[in-house]
């Protein structure tokens, strides 16, 4: 999966997450800082697909992010298969409502997304590493736990397609 609707954090939270990326890199754990094209921003993905056409997707979900943003608090560390390490926010009704609204609009527009991002299945998270070396796992989890909690305001969003190098802000 290489295309997504990503939510971005306020400056303070983004700086804290980038410092965590730096700490992971210093400990020999690859972070998103150095992953693939090296243009990743700390984010929370609402939907992911093999391909998303930026204009129709942005049009479909425009106006859903509250004007004052949405506050989340990262309080947990988790891991997905493939040694993907992430921070998880406390799940709140407003975050779930935003996620559901995005998927309702995407479905109405005929946009297919990955099953693990659909309502009722989605695990909200901010990925910090895509491939934690087994030997560095305990250290990586410790660095993540030391960084928590992180309160973040979700302030902006974009449709991104990393394979095609596309980035389309959502108004």
């Amino acid at each position: 999966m290489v295309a997504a609707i990503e939510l971005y954090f306020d400056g303070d939270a983004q700086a804290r997450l980038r410092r965590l990326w730096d700490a992971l890199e210093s400990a020999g754990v690859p972070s998103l800082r150095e992953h693939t094209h090296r243009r990743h921003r700390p984010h929370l993905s609402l939907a992911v697909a093999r391909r998303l056409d930026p204009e129709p997707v942005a049009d479909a979900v425009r106006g859903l992010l509250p004007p004052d943003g949405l506050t989340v608090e990262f309080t947990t560390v988790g891991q997905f298969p493939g040694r993907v390490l992430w921070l998880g926010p406390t799940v709140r009704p407003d975050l779930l409502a935003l996620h559901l609204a995005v998927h309702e609009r995407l479905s109405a527009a005929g946009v297919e997304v990955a099953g693990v991002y659909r309502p009722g299945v989605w695990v909200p998270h901010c990925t910090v590493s895509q491939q934690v070396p087994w030997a560095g796992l305990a250290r990586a989890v410790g660095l993540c736990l030391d960084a928590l909690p992180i309160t973040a305001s979700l302030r902006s969003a974009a449709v991104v397609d990393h394979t095609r190098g596309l980035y389309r802000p959502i108004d």
Side-chain angles (χ1 to χ4, degrees):
M1 301 296 152
V2 295
I5 296 175
E6 296 180 346
L7 296 176
Y8 302 112
F9 310 116
D10 63 274
D12 289 341
Q14 189 172 154
R16 288 188 65 192
L17 288 161
R18 286 186 183 278
R19 282 194 298 273
L20 174 57
W21 288 359
D22 291 344
L24 289 167
E25 292 284 341
S26 292
V29 176
S31 73
L32 288 192
R33 183 186 82 186
E34 300 296 321
H35 188 66
T36 58
H37 50 63
R38 297 184 174 110
R39 290 188 307 264
H40 286 286
R41 293 170 60 183
H43 66 274
L44 190 150
S45 295
L46 291 176
V48 172
R50 290 194 189 284
R51 184 179 174 113
L52 292 173
D53 291 320
E55 294 305 321
V57 171
D59 288 344
V61 299
R62 179 173 285 113
L64 287 177
L65 188 62
D68 296 333
L70 185 72
T71 300
V72 295
E73 184 174 24
F74 290 96
T75 56
T76 61
V77 178
Q79 188 173 6
F80 293 130
R83 301 184 326 264
V84 176
L85 188 64
W86 47 269
L87 303 182
T90 299
V91 179
R92 295 182 6 188
D94 54 354
L95 179 60
L96 293 177
L98 173 62
H99 181 254
L100 178 60
V102 164
H103 282 266
E104 286 174 344
R105 289 208 189 162
L106 291 175
S107 179
V111 177
E112 291 289 322
V113 299
V116 296
Y117 279 84
R118 292 192 178 130
V121 180
W122 177 61
V123 175
H125 65 281
C126 175
T127 301
V128 295
S129 178
Q130 291 279 7
Q131 292 184 323
V132 179
W134 288 117
L137 182 59
R139 177 76 175 126
V141 170
L143 289 168
C144 290
L145 289 170
D146 287 346
L148 297 178
I150 298 174
T151 300
S153 180
L154 300 166
R155 295 292 185 156
S156 61
V159 180
V160 297
D161 187 323
H162 298 292
T163 298
R164 297 188 293 163
L166 300 175
Y167 174 87
R168 168 61 168 85
I170 299 172
D171 307 325

Short mmCIF file of all heavy atoms in Angstrom, two decimals, residues 1-28:
data_model
loop_
_atom_site.label_atom_id
_atom_site.label_comp_id
_atom_site.label_asym_id
_atom_site.label_seq_id
_atom_site.Cartn_x
_atom_site.Cartn_y
_atom_site.Cartn_z
N MET A 1 0.84 -1.18 0.00
CA MET A 1 0.00 0.00 0.00
C MET A 1 0.88 1.24 0.00
O MET A 1 1.76 1.37 0.85
CB MET A 1 -0.89 0.00 1.24
CG MET A 1 -1.81 -1.20 1.38
SD MET A 1 -2.99 -1.26 0.04
CE MET A 1 -3.27 -3.00 -0.04
N VAL A 2 0.64 2.11 -0.93
CA VAL A 2 1.52 3.27 -1.05
C VAL A 2 0.77 4.59 -1.13
O VAL A 2 1.41 5.63 -1.13
CB VAL A 2 2.44 3.12 -2.28
CG1 VAL A 2 3.39 1.95 -2.09
CG2 VAL A 2 1.63 2.96 -3.55
N ALA A 3 -0.53 4.58 -1.22
CA ALA A 3 -1.30 5.82 -1.28
C ALA A 3 -2.16 5.91 -0.03
O ALA A 3 -2.63 4.89 0.49
CB ALA A 3 -2.17 5.84 -2.53
N ALA A 4 -2.34 7.13 0.46
CA ALA A 4 -3.06 7.27 1.73
C ALA A 4 -3.69 8.64 1.87
O ALA A 4 -3.30 9.60 1.21
CB ALA A 4 -2.10 7.04 2.89
N ILE A 5 -4.64 8.71 2.79
CA ILE A 5 -5.12 9.98 3.32
C ILE A 5 -4.43 10.11 4.66
O ILE A 5 -4.65 9.30 5.57
CB ILE A 5 -6.64 10.01 3.49
CG1 ILE A 5 -7.33 9.89 2.14
CG2 ILE A 5 -7.06 11.30 4.20
CD1 ILE A 5 -8.85 9.79 2.22
N GLU A 6 -3.54 11.11 4.76
CA GLU A 6 -2.75 11.30 5.96
C GLU A 6 -3.17 12.55 6.70
O GLU A 6 -3.43 13.59 6.08
CB GLU A 6 -1.26 11.42 5.61
CG GLU A 6 -0.69 10.16 5.00
CD GLU A 6 0.79 10.27 4.64
OE1 GLU A 6 1.33 11.39 4.62
OE2 GLU A 6 1.39 9.21 4.36
N LEU A 7 -3.23 12.45 8.03
CA LEU A 7 -3.47 13.60 8.90
C LEU A 7 -2.14 14.01 9.51
O LEU A 7 -1.38 13.15 9.97
CB LEU A 7 -4.46 13.24 10.01
CG LEU A 7 -5.86 12.84 9.58
CD1 LEU A 7 -6.68 12.41 10.80
CD2 LEU A 7 -6.55 13.99 8.87
N TYR A 8 -1.89 15.32 9.54
CA TYR A 8 -0.61 15.83 10.05
C TYR A 8 -0.79 16.59 11.35
O TYR A 8 -1.83 17.20 11.58
CB TYR A 8 0.05 16.72 8.99
CG TYR A 8 0.29 15.97 7.71
CD1 TYR A 8 -0.41 16.30 6.56
CD2 TYR A 8 1.18 14.91 7.65
CE1 TYR A 8 -0.22 15.61 5.38
CE2 TYR A 8 1.38 14.21 6.47
CZ TYR A 8 0.68 14.55 5.34
OH TYR A 8 0.86 13.86 4.18
N PHE A 9 0.26 16.58 12.16
CA PHE A 9 0.22 17.11 13.51
C PHE A 9 0.70 18.56 13.58
O PHE A 9 1.42 19.03 12.71
CB PHE A 9 1.09 16.25 14.43
CG PHE A 9 0.80 14.78 14.31
CD1 PHE A 9 1.74 13.89 13.84
CD2 PHE A 9 -0.44 14.28 14.67
CE1 PHE A 9 1.47 12.54 13.73
CE2 PHE A 9 -0.73 12.93 14.57
CZ PHE A 9 0.23 12.06 14.09
N ASP A 10 0.35 19.20 14.69
CA ASP A 10 0.85 20.53 14.98
C ASP A 10 2.37 20.48 15.10
O ASP A 10 2.97 19.42 15.23
CB ASP A 10 0.22 21.06 16.27
CG ASP A 10 0.61 20.21 17.47
OD1 ASP A 10 -0.08 19.20 17.74
OD2 ASP A 10 1.60 20.56 18.14
N GLY A 11 3.00 21.66 15.07
CA GLY A 11 4.46 21.76 15.06
C GLY A 11 5.14 21.13 16.25
O GLY A 11 6.17 20.46 16.11
N ASP A 12 4.61 21.32 17.46
CA ASP A 12 5.24 20.75 18.66
C ASP A 12 5.24 19.22 18.62
O ASP A 12 6.24 18.58 18.90
CB ASP A 12 4.56 21.25 19.93
CG ASP A 12 4.84 22.71 20.21
OD1 ASP A 12 5.82 23.26 19.65
OD2 ASP A 12 4.07 23.31 20.98
N ALA A 13 4.09 18.66 18.28
CA ALA A 13 4.00 17.20 18.23
C ALA A 13 4.88 16.65 17.11
O ALA A 13 5.56 15.63 17.29
CB ALA A 13 2.55 16.77 18.02
N GLN A 14 4.89 17.33 15.97
CA GLN A 14 5.73 16.89 14.86
C GLN A 14 7.21 16.89 15.28
O GLN A 14 7.95 15.95 14.97
CB GLN A 14 5.52 17.80 13.65
CG GLN A 14 6.17 17.28 12.42
CD GLN A 14 5.80 18.06 11.18
OE1 GLN A 14 6.59 18.05 10.27
NE2 GLN A 14 4.67 18.71 11.11
N ALA A 15 7.63 17.94 16.00
CA ALA A 15 9.02 18.01 16.45
C ALA A 15 9.34 16.88 17.42
O ALA A 15 10.42 16.27 17.35
CB ALA A 15 9.28 19.37 17.11
N ARG A 16 8.43 16.56 18.33
CA ARG A 16 8.66 15.47 19.28
C ARG A 16 8.77 14.13 18.55
O ARG A 16 9.62 13.29 18.89
CB ARG A 16 7.55 15.41 20.33
CG ARG A 16 7.64 16.57 21.32
CD ARG A 16 6.69 16.42 22.45
NE ARG A 16 7.05 15.25 23.27
CZ ARG A 16 6.25 14.75 24.20
NH1 ARG A 16 5.07 15.29 24.45
NH2 ARG A 16 6.64 13.70 24.90
N LEU A 17 7.92 13.93 17.56
CA LEU A 17 7.98 12.68 16.80
C LEU A 17 9.25 12.59 15.97
O LEU A 17 9.86 11.53 15.88
CB LEU A 17 6.73 12.54 15.93
CG LEU A 17 5.46 12.25 16.74
CD1 LEU A 17 4.21 12.59 15.95
CD2 LEU A 17 5.45 10.81 17.22
N ARG A 18 9.69 13.69 15.42
CA ARG A 18 10.96 13.69 14.67
C ARG A 18 12.14 13.42 15.60
O ARG A 18 13.10 12.75 15.21
CB ARG A 18 11.13 14.99 13.90
CG ARG A 18 10.22 15.08 12.68
CD ARG A 18 10.51 16.32 11.85
NE ARG A 18 9.59 16.44 10.74
CZ ARG A 18 9.70 15.80 9.58
NH1 ARG A 18 10.71 14.99 9.38
NH2 ARG A 18 8.82 15.99 8.62
N ARG A 19 12.09 13.93 16.83
CA ARG A 19 13.16 13.63 17.80
C ARG A 19 13.17 12.14 18.12
O ARG A 19 14.24 11.54 18.29
CB ARG A 19 13.00 14.47 19.06
CG ARG A 19 13.48 15.90 18.89
CD ARG A 19 13.63 16.63 20.21
NE ARG A 19 12.40 16.77 20.97
CZ ARG A 19 11.53 17.77 20.81
NH1 ARG A 19 11.75 18.73 19.92
NH2 ARG A 19 10.44 17.82 21.55
N LEU A 20 11.98 11.52 18.20
CA LEU A 20 11.92 10.08 18.41
C LEU A 20 12.54 9.36 17.22
O LEU A 20 13.30 8.41 17.40
CB LEU A 20 10.48 9.63 18.64
CG LEU A 20 10.25 8.12 18.72
CD1 LEU A 20 11.10 7.48 19.83
CD2 LEU A 20 8.77 7.82 18.92
N TRP A 21 12.22 9.79 16.00
CA TRP A 21 12.85 9.19 14.82
C TRP A 21 14.37 9.28 14.93
O TRP A 21 15.08 8.32 14.65
CB TRP A 21 12.40 9.89 13.54
CG TRP A 21 11.00 9.65 13.10
CD1 TRP A 21 10.06 8.86 13.70
CD2 TRP A 21 10.37 10.20 11.96
NE1 TRP A 21 8.88 8.90 12.99
CE2 TRP A 21 9.05 9.72 11.91
CE3 TRP A 21 10.79 11.07 10.97
CZ2 TRP A 21 8.15 10.07 10.91
CZ3 TRP A 21 9.90 11.42 9.96
CH2 TRP A 21 8.60 10.92 9.94
N ASP A 22 14.87 10.46 15.32
CA ASP A 22 16.32 10.64 15.46
C ASP A 22 16.91 9.69 16.50
O ASP A 22 17.97 9.11 16.29
CB ASP A 22 16.64 12.09 15.84
CG ASP A 22 16.35 13.08 14.72
OD1 ASP A 22 16.19 12.66 13.56
OD2 ASP A 22 16.26 14.29 15.03
N ALA A 23 16.21 9.54 17.63
CA ALA A 23 16.68 8.64 18.70
C ALA A 23 16.71 7.20 18.20
O ALA A 23 17.65 6.45 18.50
CB ALA A 23 15.80 8.77 19.94
N LEU A 24 15.70 6.80 17.44
CA LEU A 24 15.67 5.44 16.89
C LEU A 24 16.84 5.24 15.93
O LEU A 24 17.55 4.22 15.99
CB LEU A 24 14.34 5.18 16.19
CG LEU A 24 13.13 5.04 17.10
CD1 LEU A 24 11.84 5.10 16.29
CD2 LEU A 24 13.20 3.77 17.92
N GLU A 25 17.05 6.20 15.05
CA GLU A 25 18.16 6.11 14.09
C GLU A 25 19.50 5.99 14.83
O GLU A 25 20.35 5.18 14.46
CB GLU A 25 18.18 7.32 13.16
CG GLU A 25 17.01 7.39 12.20
CD GLU A 25 17.10 6.43 11.03
OE1 GLU A 25 18.20 5.94 10.71
OE2 GLU A 25 16.03 6.17 10.42
N SER A 26 19.67 6.79 15.89
CA SER A 26 20.92 6.75 16.68
C SER A 26 21.11 5.39 17.34
O SER A 26 22.25 4.98 17.59
CB SER A 26 20.92 7.84 17.74
OG SER A 26 20.99 9.11 17.13
N ALA A 27 20.01 4.70 17.63
CA ALA A 27 20.07 3.38 18.25
C ALA A 27 20.16 2.25 17.22
O ALA A 27 20.09 1.07 17.57
CB ALA A 27 18.85 3.16 19.15
N GLY A 28 20.29 2.61 15.94
CA GLY A 28 20.41 1.60 14.90
C GLY A 28 19.09 1.03 14.42
O GLY A 28 19.05 -0.01 13.78
#
